[in-house]
Amino acid sequence: MVAMKGESVAEELERDGREIAKAGGVDAEIFTVGGSVLSQPTTLIRIQRKKKGA
C-alpha cells in the first residue's frame, strides 16, 4: 500500500503500528517526493503486506 500523508506520518505509524501489524503490514517506509519541483514536498508511506503463511 502507498498512501499520501502529512508531516505527522511518523507519529501516526508509531501510534498505529500494532494495528498495522495485525492487518499484516510489514516493512513500512516513509519518504518524500517532489522536493525539487514543489514548494512543499509530498510525504508518502509504503507498507508491504506480509504474504499468507510467511
Side-chain angles (χ1 to χ4, degrees):
M1 169 181 67
V2 176
M4 291 187 344
K5 298 296 293 177
E7 293 178 1
S8 65
V9 67
E11 291 85 12
E12 294 173 26
L13 179 59
E14 185 174 331
R15 180 192 69 210
D16 300 327
R18 192 170 277 160
E19 293 299 319
I20 292 169
K22 280 184 186 179
V26 295
D27 300 329
E29 177 185 6
I30 299 169
F31 54 100
T32 57
V33 296
S36 63
V37 294
L38 299 171
S39 60
Q40 182 174 358
T42 300
T43 303
L44 303 175
I45 184 168
R46 177 177 26 217
I47 302 173
Q48 301 290 322
R49 186 158 199 184
K50 182 173 54 175
K51 293 181 181 180
K52 292 186 182 219

